[in-house]
Amino acid sequence: LSLDDMADYLQLEKHFSESYRFVSIDTSEEVLNDIFIESFKKNKKLAMIFVTKNGSSTEPLLGIIVNKDLRLN
């Protein structure tokens, strides 16, 4: 099941105050930290990062990462 399959239910585009990102399964923790930090610096809340095999929204969802999952530097 991919997020595209659930798009009608989630309506991610209607979350104006939050953003979402997709990353591949091999994205390092350091890069994930950087993604959250950059989002914070831009005053755009990154609600979560969706993990798929290659970082595409059309692929099956492998995991979800939120900022509390990481040790932000």
Side-chain angles (χ1 to χ4, degrees):
L1 192 60
S2 72
L3 286 181
D4 280 353
D5 296 329
M6 300 182 297
D8 290 339
Y9 305 103
L10 296 176
Q11 300 181 346
L12 296 178
E13 69 281 352
K14 293 190 178 185
H15 293 261
F16 300 113
S17 65
E18 299 175 323
S19 64
Y20 303 87
R21 291 278 305 266
F22 287 85
V23 297
S24 66
I25 188 71
D26 60 352
T27 302
S28 71
E29 185 175 349
E30 181 180 355
V31 170
L32 293 170
N33 279 329
D34 290 344
I35 291 170
F36 275 105
I37 290 168
E38 287 304 311
S39 173
F40 178 77
K41 287 179 181 177
K42 294 178 182 178
N43 289 326
K44 180 76 172 176
K45 180 183 178 196
L46 181 58
M48 61 186 66
I49 296 176
F50 298 109
V51 181
T52 64
K53 182 178 180 183
N54 297 301
S56 171
S57 65
T58 59
E59 299 174 312
L61 184 62
L62 301 175
I64 295 174
I65 300 169
V66 297
N67 65 351
K68 292 183 181 186
D69 293 331
L70 301 170
R71 295 174 302 231
L72 298 176
N73 299 326

